Each structure stands twice: as structure tokens, then as C-alpha cells.
């Protein structure tokens, strides 16, 4: 029996129901602190097309490089390590920041 419109019938978990867009980025708490975890999140977000999350991650990677206080050589090493990643995932702001960081050394 198929209930008519306005019915309170619960279609159950097997029913194809699209709840519409899900907005989970109201909080930036979803971004991990570790740069390694952030890069993994970029890969996953890029794969599923969540560009807003990719941009938030890009910003956090820029902040990580800007706050890298473990010495100039370590900062340059981190920048070089992220350079190929930035270009592979078209993270232009991060790539520009890396280029500027390396030009200053």
C-alpha cells in the first residue's frame, strides 16, 4: 500500500530521499591542525567537489607556512614540500605564497 500525499508514513532507510544540500562548513573546526592531515583533507574535498573546504584548507596551509618558526631552512623545506602539492591541486594562493617564501631565502 502506498500512502498518499501528506501521510506521516516513514519510508525507512531504503527510501531514496535527497535532503538537499548539506551545509557543514559553518564552523572551521572541521579543519585539522596537522599540515599532513590538511593535505589529505584537500585531496578528499577535491575528489568530491567541496571547493569551499579546499579553500579553507589552502588558507590554513598558508598560515602554517607563515607561522613556521623552526628556522629558515625548515620553513624552506616545508615550502618546497608543499610546492608540488599546491600546483597539482591548483592552489594558486598557496603556490604564490611558497614562491614568495622561497624568493626571500
Amino acid at each position: 500500500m502506498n500512502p498518499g500525499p501528506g501521510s506521516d508514513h516513514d519510508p525507512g532507510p531504503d527510501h531514496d530521499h535527497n535532503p538537499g544540500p548539506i551545509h557543514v562548513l559553518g564552523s572551521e573546526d572541521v579543519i585539522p591542525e596537522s599540515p599532513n592531515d590538511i593535505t589529505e583533507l584537500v585531496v578528499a574535498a577535491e575528489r568530491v567537489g567541496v571547493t569551499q573546504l579546499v579553500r579553507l584548507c589552502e588558507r590554513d596551509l598558508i598560515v602554517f607556512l607563515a607561522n613556521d618558526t623552526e628556522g629558515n631552512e625548515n620553513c624552506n623545506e616545508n615550502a618546497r614540500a608543499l610546492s608540488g602539492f599546491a600546483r597539482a591541486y591548483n592552489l594558486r594562493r598557496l603556490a604564490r605564497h611558497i614562491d614568495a617564501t622561497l624568493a626571500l631565502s
Side-chain angles (χ1 to χ4, degrees):
M1 176 176 184
N2 188 7
S7 169
D8 289 335
H9 174 73
D10 180 8
D14 295 329
H15 181 60
D16 259 349
H17 176 69
N18 182 358
I22 299 173
H23 301 283
V24 295
L25 297 178
S27 169
E28 294 180 21
D29 293 339
V30 297
I31 309 293
E33 290 184 25
S34 163
N36 292 330
D37 293 341
I38 294 173
T39 57
E40 289 179 17
L41 186 57
V42 167
V43 172
E46 186 74 29
R47 191 171 295 149
V48 296
V50 185
T51 56
Q52 182 183 9
L53 183 56
V54 172
R55 297 299 162 227
L56 288 173
C57 289
E58 178 182 31
R59 188 197 64 213
D60 279 18
L61 288 171
I62 291 169
V63 169
F64 164 74
L65 286 176
N67 291 336
D68 194 347
T69 58
E70 293 185 31
N72 193 40
E73 186 53 41
N74 190 55
C75 179
N76 289 342
E77 183 179 326
N78 287 333
R80 283 189 293 273
L82 282 171
S83 180
F85 178 81
R87 283 161 178 70
Y89 286 91
N90 199 28
L91 304 175
R92 292 184 301 267
R93 290 183 310 157
L94 178 58
R96 283 193 304 268
H97 181 80
I98 290 168
D99 292 343
T101 298
L102 294 175
L104 292 173
S105 60

XYZ file of all heavy atoms in Angstrom:
797
model
N 0.835 -1.182 0.000
C 0.000 0.000 0.000
C 0.878 1.243 0.000
O 1.810 1.368 0.772
C -0.908 -0.030 1.229
C -1.742 1.190 1.363
S -2.845 0.971 2.757
C -3.739 2.446 2.609
N 0.593 2.175 -0.858
C 1.357 3.400 -0.975
C 0.574 4.536 -0.331
O -0.485 4.908 -0.815
C 1.615 3.689 -2.451
C 2.567 4.856 -2.641
O 3.125 5.348 -1.677
N 2.732 5.278 -3.875
N 1.099 5.109 0.772
C 0.373 6.206 1.421
C 0.322 7.422 0.509
O 1.219 7.701 -0.252
C 1.178 6.487 2.676
C 2.499 5.863 2.481
C 2.334 4.788 1.442
N -0.738 8.172 0.595
C -0.936 9.351 -0.249
C -0.156 10.544 0.255
O 0.518 10.482 1.275
N -0.229 11.660 -0.456
C 0.477 12.879 -0.047
C 0.033 13.329 1.336
O -1.120 13.200 1.699
C 0.078 13.910 -1.104
C -0.569 13.151 -2.214
C -1.005 11.839 -1.661
N 0.991 13.831 2.097
C 0.686 14.339 3.428
C 0.674 13.257 4.485
O 0.397 13.503 5.636
N 0.961 12.021 4.114
C 0.960 10.915 5.060
C 2.144 11.037 6.009
O 3.202 11.540 5.641
C 1.043 9.593 4.301
O 1.299 8.539 5.190
N 1.981 10.535 7.211
C 3.066 10.528 8.187
C 3.900 9.264 8.088
O 4.717 8.983 8.943
C 2.508 10.654 9.616
C 1.961 12.041 9.889
O 2.427 12.983 9.216
O 1.092 12.171 10.755
N 3.729 8.502 7.042
C 4.452 7.250 6.873
C 5.946 7.506 6.717
O 6.368 8.330 5.921
C 3.928 6.506 5.633
C 4.721 5.283 5.305
N 4.643 4.142 6.056
C 5.605 5.025 4.312
C 5.443 3.229 5.540
N 6.040 3.756 4.474
N 6.750 6.788 7.503
C 8.206 6.881 7.406
C 8.666 5.888 6.345
O 8.474 4.689 6.502
C 8.834 6.543 8.766
C 10.362 6.620 8.732
O 10.926 7.067 7.716
O 10.977 6.222 9.737
N 9.285 6.364 5.257
C 9.671 5.462 4.189
C 10.810 4.525 4.572
O 11.092 3.577 3.856
C 10.101 6.401 3.059
C 10.477 7.665 3.732
C 9.618 7.737 4.972
N 11.475 4.745 5.690
C 12.537 3.848 6.129
C 13.868 4.160 5.457
O 13.959 5.022 4.587
N 14.916 3.446 5.857
C 16.261 3.756 5.382
C 16.498 3.407 3.915
O 17.427 3.895 3.314
C 17.161 2.919 6.291
C 16.299 1.810 6.764
C 14.911 2.375 6.819
N 15.668 2.544 3.320
C 15.894 2.150 1.935
C 15.263 3.106 0.938
O 15.396 2.936 -0.267
C 15.363 0.733 1.702
C 16.136 -0.296 2.507
O 17.343 -0.084 2.752
O 15.526 -1.285 2.904
N 14.559 4.099 1.408
C 13.871 5.034 0.528
C 14.860 6.049 -0.030
O 15.701 6.574 0.678
C 12.762 5.752 1.301
C 11.979 6.724 0.468
N 11.276 6.343 -0.634
C 11.803 8.053 0.591
C 10.690 7.403 -1.163
N 10.998 8.453 -0.433
N 14.782 6.318 -1.333
C 15.629 7.323 -1.963
C 15.104 8.706 -1.611
O 14.139 9.177 -2.202
C 15.601 7.171 -3.484
C 16.823 6.471 -4.011
O 17.769 6.303 -3.244
O 16.810 6.096 -5.196
N 15.745 9.342 -0.672
C 15.307 10.673 -0.268
C 16.521 11.583 -0.256
O 17.497 11.322 0.437
C 14.670 10.635 1.122
C 14.289 11.994 1.624
N 13.280 12.726 1.078
C 14.814 12.741 2.619
C 13.181 13.882 1.723
N 14.105 13.905 2.657
N 16.479 12.636 -1.012
C 17.569 13.593 -1.049
C 17.191 14.777 -0.166
O 16.289 15.533 -0.509
C 17.814 14.058 -2.485
C 18.988 15.022 -2.574
O 19.582 15.367 -1.569
N 19.303 15.427 -3.775
N 17.880 14.944 0.967
C 17.521 16.032 1.869
C 17.962 17.404 1.371
O 17.713 18.398 2.009
C 18.262 15.668 3.163
C 19.454 14.906 2.696
C 18.991 14.155 1.473
N 18.623 17.470 0.229
C 19.102 18.748 -0.289
C 20.537 18.982 0.139
O 21.188 18.107 0.704
N 21.051 20.159 -0.125
C 22.450 20.429 0.210
C 22.678 20.402 1.708
O 21.824 20.798 2.485
C 22.699 21.823 -0.363
C 21.357 22.416 -0.578
C 20.386 21.288 -0.732
N 23.842 19.909 2.081
C 24.214 19.851 3.495
C 25.280 20.906 3.728
O 26.297 20.932 3.042
C 24.756 18.457 3.859
C 23.673 17.415 3.611
C 25.226 18.423 5.299
C 24.142 15.997 3.763
N 25.043 21.792 4.667
C 25.988 22.860 4.969
C 26.714 22.505 6.257
O 26.166 22.642 7.333
C 25.262 24.202 5.106
C 24.524 24.580 3.864
N 25.155 25.087 2.757
C 23.219 24.489 3.534
C 24.276 25.302 1.809
N 23.087 24.951 2.259
N 27.961 22.035 6.119
C 28.729 21.637 7.289
C 29.870 22.598 7.582
O 30.608 22.406 8.516
C 29.318 20.214 7.122
C 28.226 19.194 7.055
C 30.220 20.139 5.908
N 30.014 23.634 6.777
C 31.167 24.495 6.929
C 30.871 25.763 7.713
O 31.563 26.746 7.589
C 31.753 24.841 5.555
C 32.262 23.629 4.794
C 32.768 24.060 3.424
C 33.351 22.927 5.548
N 29.838 25.739 8.529
C 29.539 26.884 9.365
C 30.617 27.109 10.399
O 30.803 28.196 10.902
N 31.364 26.076 10.702
C 32.444 26.153 11.665
C 33.722 25.657 11.014
O 33.707 24.707 10.248
C 32.120 25.285 12.878
O 33.252 25.153 13.687
N 34.807 26.308 11.314
C 36.089 25.876 10.747
C 36.733 24.798 11.601
O 37.881 24.431 11.369
C 36.996 27.079 10.576
C 36.451 28.035 9.527
C 37.311 29.252 9.318
O 38.503 29.212 9.660
O 36.785 30.237 8.809
N 35.995 24.259 12.565
C 36.519 23.188 13.403
C 36.749 21.908 12.622
O 37.363 20.981 13.131
C 35.569 22.908 14.574
C 35.506 24.070 15.546
O 36.441 24.892 15.560
O 34.514 24.159 16.282
N 36.259 21.842 11.397
C 36.453 20.636 10.595
C 37.867 20.560 10.032
O 38.291 19.508 9.576
C 35.432 20.539 9.436
C 34.021 20.439 9.967
C 35.566 21.696 8.472
N 38.623 21.650 10.069
C 39.981 21.673 9.536
C 40.943 21.151 10.606
O 41.023 21.695 11.689
C 40.407 23.104 9.127
C 39.367 23.761 8.234
C 41.777 23.078 8.459
C 39.201 23.151 6.884
N 41.692 20.088 10.288
C 42.656 19.576 11.269
C 43.831 20.541 11.448
O 44.035 21.441 10.633
C 43.124 18.256 10.650
C 42.774 18.324 9.218
C 41.671 19.323 9.066
N 44.606 20.338 12.496
C 45.749 21.216 12.767
C 47.004 20.778 12.032
O 47.822 21.605 11.656
C 46.020 21.275 14.269
C 44.949 22.022 15.025
C 45.278 22.171 16.500
O 46.465 22.146 16.850
O 44.339 22.305 17.292
N 47.172 19.497 11.829
C 48.378 18.980 11.200
C 48.381 19.264 9.699
O 47.413 18.951 9.005
C 48.462 17.464 11.425
O 49.382 16.879 10.522
N 49.476 19.826 9.178
C 49.553 20.080 7.736
C 49.388 18.794 6.914
O 48.801 18.826 5.832
C 50.941 20.680 7.532
C 51.389 21.105 8.871
C 50.659 20.299 9.883
N 49.883 17.673 7.422
C 49.709 16.404 6.706
C 48.232 16.034 6.602
O 47.763 15.592 5.549
C 50.475 15.278 7.400
C 51.969 15.466 7.306
O 52.479 16.039 6.351
N 52.680 15.008 8.313
N 47.505 16.222 7.699
C 46.063 15.935 7.689
C 45.313 16.910 6.790
O 44.350 16.544 6.128
C 45.496 15.982 9.107
C 46.024 14.855 9.988
O 46.530 13.844 9.441
O 45.929 14.995 11.221
N 45.764 18.163 6.779
C 45.116 19.162 5.925
C 45.269 18.780 4.460
O 44.311 18.865 3.689
C 45.678 20.572 6.187
C 45.320 21.035 7.605
C 45.146 21.568 5.165
C 45.982 22.339 8.018
N 46.465 18.337 4.069
C 46.658 17.958 2.663
C 45.790 16.758 2.298
O 45.241 16.700 1.195
C 48.132 17.674 2.334
O 48.633 16.656 3.192
C 48.981 18.934 2.457
N 45.634 15.815 3.214
C 44.742 14.673 2.961
C 43.295 15.142 2.801
O 42.558 14.632 1.954
C 44.845 13.648 4.088
C 46.148 12.895 4.095
C 46.245 11.897 5.228
O 45.205 11.538 5.821
O 47.366 11.468 5.533
N 42.904 16.113 3.611
C 41.542 16.654 3.516
C 41.340 17.380 2.186
O 40.274 17.285 1.581
C 41.258 17.580 4.697
C 39.847 18.125 4.822
C 38.814 17.004 4.883
C 39.738 19.002 6.063
N 42.361 18.081 1.712
C 42.277 18.746 0.408
C 42.025 17.715 -0.685
O 41.165 17.895 -1.543
C 43.558 19.553 0.094
C 43.606 19.969 -1.372
C 43.661 20.774 0.987
N 42.775 16.615 -0.651
C 42.618 15.562 -1.659
C 41.183 15.032 -1.644
O 40.540 14.909 -2.691
C 43.636 14.431 -1.434
C 43.347 13.242 -2.343
C 45.060 14.934 -1.653
N 40.672 14.736 -0.456
C 39.308 14.204 -0.343
C 38.269 15.240 -0.779
O 37.337 14.923 -1.521
C 39.036 13.750 1.085
N 38.433 16.483 -0.340
C 37.470 17.534 -0.684
C 37.489 17.816 -2.181
O 36.442 18.037 -2.795
C 37.777 18.810 0.103
N 38.649 17.784 -2.771
C 38.768 17.994 -4.216
C 38.081 16.864 -4.972
O 37.390 17.081 -5.957
C 40.251 18.080 -4.599
C 40.509 18.441 -6.026
C 40.239 19.900 -6.340
O 40.376 20.764 -5.462
O 39.867 20.163 -7.495
N 38.247 15.664 -4.475
C 37.664 14.486 -5.123
C 36.137 14.550 -5.159
O 35.517 14.131 -6.120
C 38.121 13.218 -4.392
C 37.795 11.936 -5.120
C 38.447 10.738 -4.473
N 39.891 10.858 -4.588
C 40.757 10.371 -3.707
N 40.335 9.739 -2.641
N 42.052 10.514 -3.890
N 35.532 15.070 -4.089
C 34.067 15.135 -4.035
C 33.519 16.512 -4.414
O 32.315 16.711 -4.403
C 33.521 14.703 -2.645
C 33.846 13.261 -2.363
C 34.028 15.607 -1.538
N 34.398 17.451 -4.737
C 33.956 18.747 -5.235
C 33.528 19.747 -4.188
O 32.685 20.601 -4.456
N 34.112 19.697 -3.004
C 33.770 20.664 -1.954
C 34.826 21.775 -1.982
O 35.762 21.801 -1.187
C 33.696 19.984 -0.566
C 33.227 20.975 0.490
C 32.785 18.777 -0.603
N 34.656 22.686 -2.925
C 35.673 23.710 -3.150
C 35.826 24.673 -1.979
O 36.926 25.162 -1.733
C 35.384 24.503 -4.437
O 34.077 25.061 -4.354
C 35.473 23.619 -5.661
N 34.754 24.938 -1.259
C 34.854 25.831 -0.101
C 35.807 25.238 0.939
O 36.621 25.949 1.522
C 33.477 26.069 0.517
C 33.505 27.023 1.690
C 32.136 27.189 2.341
O 31.198 26.474 2.021
N 32.032 28.117 3.262
N 35.733 23.947 1.144
C 36.621 23.283 2.096
C 38.062 23.298 1.590
O 38.995 23.508 2.367
C 36.146 21.848 2.342
C 36.916 21.030 3.370
C 36.963 21.745 4.720
C 36.279 19.653 3.521
N 38.249 23.121 0.293
C 39.596 23.189 -0.286
C 40.202 24.557 -0.017
O 41.358 24.671 0.396
C 39.569 22.885 -1.802
C 40.927 23.158 -2.438
C 39.135 21.449 -2.065
N 39.428 25.619 -0.204
C 39.938 26.984 0.019
C 40.261 27.239 1.488
O 41.240 27.916 1.810
C 38.942 28.031 -0.492
C 38.708 27.958 -1.972
C 39.988 28.189 -2.769
N 39.840 27.719 -4.121
C 40.721 26.968 -4.776
N 41.847 26.610 -4.210
N 40.503 26.571 -6.005
N 39.429 26.724 2.392
C 39.734 26.872 3.825
C 41.034 26.160 4.174
O 41.855 26.676 4.933
C 38.586 26.322 4.673
C 37.297 27.137 4.702
C 36.200 26.369 5.437
C 37.532 28.485 5.351
N 41.216 24.982 3.618
C 42.454 24.227 3.862
C 43.657 24.972 3.290
O 44.725 25.027 3.920
C 42.361 22.837 3.245
S 41.229 21.721 4.094
N 43.481 25.534 2.099
C 44.566 26.293 1.472
C 44.991 27.436 2.388
O 46.183 27.659 2.610
C 44.113 26.824 0.117
C 45.173 27.669 -0.589
C 44.687 28.230 -1.908
O 43.468 28.506 -2.049
O 45.526 28.406 -2.802
N 44.019 28.143 2.922
C 44.325 29.254 3.827
C 45.093 28.770 5.057
O 46.066 29.390 5.479
C 43.035 29.961 4.254
C 43.341 31.248 5.038
C 42.188 31.758 5.817
N 41.852 30.764 6.824
C 40.623 30.530 7.258
N 39.630 31.222 6.800
N 40.391 29.614 8.170
N 44.691 27.633 5.614
C 45.377 27.116 6.796
C 46.799 26.673 6.474
O 47.700 26.801 7.308
C 44.580 25.970 7.415
C 43.434 26.476 8.284
O 43.054 27.649 8.144
O 42.925 25.696 9.101
N 47.035 26.164 5.276
C 48.398 25.799 4.880
C 49.266 27.048 4.724
O 50.449 27.042 5.087
C 48.385 24.980 3.591
C 47.848 23.551 3.747
C 47.665 22.902 2.383
C 48.763 22.712 4.634
N 48.698 28.131 4.222
C 49.424 29.394 4.118
C 49.782 29.902 5.512
O 50.918 30.322 5.762
C 48.600 30.440 3.339
C 48.498 30.033 1.865
C 49.205 31.843 3.489
C 47.484 30.844 1.063
N 48.832 29.838 6.430
C 49.086 30.262 7.813
C 50.173 29.385 8.438
O 51.067 29.879 9.123
C 47.784 30.221 8.647
C 48.068 30.394 10.133
C 46.813 31.279 8.156
N 50.130 28.076 8.173
C 51.164 27.172 8.693
C 52.543 27.611 8.217
O 53.476 27.717 9.012
C 50.880 25.729 8.244
C 52.057 24.820 8.402
C 52.449 24.378 9.656
C 52.778 24.404 7.293
C 53.550 23.540 9.807
C 53.878 23.569 7.436
C 54.263 23.139 8.693
N 52.682 27.888 6.925
C 53.983 28.315 6.410
C 54.386 29.673 6.966
O 55.556 29.891 7.286
C 53.968 28.364 4.884
C 53.990 27.015 4.179
C 53.871 27.200 2.673
C 55.247 26.240 4.514
N 53.448 30.582 7.087
C 53.753 31.918 7.598
C 54.185 31.873 9.060
O 55.001 32.691 9.490
C 52.543 32.830 7.441
N 53.666 30.916 9.813
C 53.979 30.813 11.241
C 55.087 29.817 11.536
O 55.364 29.537 12.700
C 52.730 30.409 12.029
C 51.697 31.508 12.038
O 52.018 32.677 11.876
N 50.447 31.133 12.196
N 55.693 29.269 10.508
C 56.759 28.275 10.693
C 57.959 28.976 11.320
O 58.674 29.727 10.665
C 57.139 27.650 9.347
C 57.977 26.399 9.506
O 58.465 26.145 10.628
O 58.135 25.678 8.519
N 58.165 28.734 12.613
C 59.209 29.452 13.352
C 60.385 28.560 13.724
O 61.195 28.925 14.563
C 58.620 30.050 14.644
O 58.063 28.984 15.429
C 57.557 31.088 14.335
N 60.486 27.405 13.079
C 61.564 26.482 13.443
C 62.835 26.747 12.650
O 63.661 25.868 12.453
C 61.101 25.042 13.232
C 60.001 24.647 14.183
C 59.645 23.190 14.056
O 60.527 22.385 13.727
O 58.491 22.862 14.300
N 63.017 27.938 12.156
C 64.224 28.279 11.411
C 63.947 28.371 9.927
O 63.047 27.747 9.397
N 64.758 29.185 9.265
C 64.570 29.464 7.852
C 64.691 28.215 6.991
O 63.915 28.019 6.063
C 65.583 30.526 7.410
C 65.247 31.082 6.052
O 64.086 31.309 5.754
N 66.261 31.290 5.231
N 65.660 27.351 7.292
C 65.853 26.150 6.466
C 64.663 25.210 6.573
O 64.222 24.652 5.575
C 67.140 25.413 6.872
C 67.475 24.253 5.961
C 67.518 24.634 4.470
O 68.036 25.715 4.138
O 67.016 23.845 3.647
N 64.118 25.061 7.771
C 62.936 24.210 7.948
C 61.732 24.794 7.204
O 60.961 24.074 6.582
C 62.617 24.036 9.435
C 61.557 22.986 9.664
O 61.694 21.854 9.226
N 60.489 23.375 10.334
N 61.581 26.104 7.267
C 60.488 26.774 6.563
C 60.618 26.537 5.061
O 59.647 26.222 4.383
C 60.500 28.263 6.872
S 59.203 29.184 6.018
N 61.838 26.663 4.535
C 62.061 26.438 3.105
C 61.799 24.990 2.729
O 61.242 24.715 1.664
C 63.480 26.841 2.712
C 63.671 28.338 2.745
O 62.716 29.099 2.728
N 64.918 28.772 2.808
N 62.178 24.074 3.598
C 61.934 22.646 3.346
C 60.431 22.368 3.288
O 59.949 21.664 2.397
C 62.586 21.812 4.447
C 62.460 20.328 4.237
C 63.154 19.561 5.336
O 64.186 20.025 5.858
O 62.648 18.476 5.684
N 59.679 22.945 4.220
C 58.224 22.781 4.211
C 57.611 23.411 2.964
O 56.696 22.849 2.356
C 57.603 23.387 5.468
C 57.877 22.553 6.697
O 58.073 21.351 6.618
N 57.904 23.200 7.851
N 58.114 24.584 2.590
C 57.594 25.266 1.405
C 57.860 24.435 0.155
O 56.970 24.264 -0.694
C 58.227 26.653 1.276
N 59.063 23.892 0.034
C 59.380 23.058 -1.135
C 58.516 21.805 -1.159
O 58.052 21.371 -2.216
C 60.865 22.695 -1.138
C 61.762 23.829 -1.596
C 63.200 23.378 -1.808
N 63.859 22.987 -0.570
C 64.491 23.820 0.248
N 64.562 25.104 -0.054
N 65.058 23.394 1.351
N 58.272 21.221 0.016
C 57.454 20.010 0.090
C 56.014 20.282 -0.349
O 55.378 19.429 -0.969
C 57.477 19.449 1.515
N 55.509 21.464 -0.032
C 54.131 21.807 -0.393
C 53.998 22.377 -1.807
O 52.894 22.457 -2.340
C 53.557 22.822 0.606
C 53.114 22.248 1.946
C 52.784 23.381 2.910
C 51.926 21.330 1.770
N 55.099 22.745 -2.423
C 55.054 23.396 -3.726
C 54.404 22.521 -4.797
O 53.485 22.961 -5.496
C 56.469 23.786 -4.163
O 56.433 24.415 -5.414
N 54.861 21.295 -4.945
C 54.280 20.393 -5.940
C 52.817 20.095 -5.645
O 51.986 20.010 -6.560
N 52.500 19.950 -4.374
C 51.121 19.694 -3.959
C 50.224 20.871 -4.356
O 49.145 20.686 -4.903
C 51.061 19.458 -2.449
C 49.675 19.234 -1.928
C 49.076 17.994 -2.029
C 48.962 20.275 -1.353
C 47.788 17.786 -1.564
C 47.681 20.081 -0.885
C 47.089 18.835 -0.989
N 50.689 22.088 -4.089
C 49.907 23.281 -4.405
C 49.617 23.366 -5.899
O 48.505 23.691 -6.309
C 50.643 24.532 -3.934
N 50.605 23.043 -6.700
C 50.420 23.113 -8.145
C 49.539 21.973 -8.655
O 48.702 22.169 -9.538
C 51.764 23.145 -8.847
C 52.400 24.529 -8.748
C 53.891 24.558 -9.012
N 54.463 25.890 -8.955
C 54.612 26.625 -7.869
N 54.198 26.194 -6.705
N 55.156 27.826 -7.909
N 49.687 20.801 -8.084
C 48.888 19.638 -8.505
C 47.401 19.855 -8.234
O 46.554 19.394 -9.003
C 49.376 18.380 -7.798
N 47.083 20.557 -7.141
C 45.681 20.779 -6.777
C 45.219 22.208 -7.076
O 44.187 22.638 -6.588
C 45.450 20.400 -5.312
C 45.455 18.901 -5.170
C 46.620 18.212 -4.881
C 44.301 18.172 -5.416
C 46.639 16.837 -4.814
C 44.309 16.797 -5.348
C 45.478 16.137 -5.053
O 45.496 14.764 -4.999
N 45.998 22.923 -7.891
C 45.626 24.252 -8.352
C 45.331 25.211 -7.194
O 44.367 25.979 -7.230
C 44.427 24.176 -9.314
C 44.306 25.430 -10.156
O 45.300 26.090 -10.422
N 43.098 25.763 -10.553
N 46.166 25.148 -6.176
C 46.041 26.043 -5.021
C 46.938 27.259 -5.298
O 48.068 27.358 -4.836
C 46.435 25.325 -3.733
C 45.668 24.037 -3.434
C 46.235 23.347 -2.201
C 44.192 24.319 -3.264
N 46.418 28.181 -6.093
C 47.228 29.290 -6.603
C 47.741 30.220 -5.509
O 48.878 30.683 -5.565
C 46.436 30.068 -7.650
C 46.203 29.257 -8.915
C 45.506 30.071 -9.984
N 44.213 30.595 -9.568
C 43.048 29.974 -9.783
N 43.014 28.841 -10.407
N 41.922 30.522 -9.369
N 46.897 30.527 -4.530
C 47.352 31.424 -3.444
C 48.490 30.778 -2.667
O 49.460 31.441 -2.319
C 46.199 31.778 -2.507
C 45.163 32.689 -3.161
C 44.074 33.079 -2.199
N 43.534 31.898 -1.530
C 42.906 31.908 -0.368
N 42.734 33.020 0.280
N 42.442 30.793 0.153
N 48.362 29.484 -2.385
C 49.421 28.776 -1.669
C 50.696 28.754 -2.512
O 51.792 28.995 -2.002
C 48.979 27.352 -1.322
C 50.013 26.479 -0.618
C 50.477 27.106 0.700
C 49.436 25.085 -0.367
N 50.571 28.489 -3.803
C 51.742 28.461 -4.690
C 52.441 29.817 -4.710
O 53.681 29.890 -4.655
C 51.327 28.035 -6.092
N 51.673 30.903 -4.777
C 52.272 32.248 -4.762
C 52.980 32.509 -3.436
O 54.067 33.091 -3.406
C 51.209 33.315 -5.017
C 50.795 33.421 -6.467
C 49.975 34.683 -6.743
N 48.792 34.807 -5.914
C 47.575 34.361 -6.241
N 47.388 33.742 -7.385
N 46.560 34.532 -5.429
N 52.368 32.087 -2.332
C 52.993 32.274 -1.019
C 54.306 31.492 -0.949
O 55.308 31.994 -0.432
C 52.042 31.832 0.096
C 52.603 32.022 1.463
N 52.600 33.241 2.098
C 53.237 31.152 2.280
C 53.196 33.111 3.277
N 53.579 31.864 3.408
N 54.300 30.287 -1.457
C 55.510 29.458 -1.464
C 56.598 30.126 -2.301
O 57.760 30.213 -1.881
C 55.193 28.044 -1.974
C 54.356 27.303 -0.938
C 56.472 27.285 -2.306
C 53.744 26.006 -1.440
N 56.228 30.587 -3.490
C 57.212 31.262 -4.344
C 57.817 32.468 -3.638
O 59.030 32.680 -3.701
C 56.570 31.688 -5.670
C 56.202 30.504 -6.550
O 56.714 29.372 -6.308
O 55.397 30.691 -7.490
N 56.993 33.251 -2.961
C 57.478 34.424 -2.240
C 58.394 34.022 -1.081
O 59.430 34.635 -0.849
C 56.313 35.258 -1.729
N 58.018 32.966 -0.370
C 58.817 32.472 0.762
C 60.191 32.028 0.277
O 61.215 32.384 0.873
C 58.099 31.307 1.459
O 56.854 31.765 1.979
C 58.935 30.732 2.592
N 60.211 31.276 -0.801
C 61.489 30.769 -1.311
C 62.329 31.876 -1.929
O 63.565 31.826 -1.871
C 61.246 29.645 -2.321
C 60.618 28.376 -1.719
C 60.299 27.368 -2.814
C 61.512 27.765 -0.658
N 61.693 32.897 -2.499
C 62.437 34.011 -3.092
C 63.139 34.837 -2.015
O 64.190 35.438 -2.282
C 61.493 34.896 -3.902
N 62.584 34.871 -0.830
C 63.161 35.646 0.263
C 64.370 34.955 0.915
O 65.105 35.575 1.666
C 62.124 35.947 1.334
C 61.002 36.897 0.928
C 59.945 36.985 2.019
C 61.569 38.269 0.597
N 64.532 33.679 0.625
C 65.631 32.953 1.301
C 66.918 33.026 0.523
O 67.025 33.397 -0.578
C 65.228 31.504 1.504
O 64.959 30.890 0.269
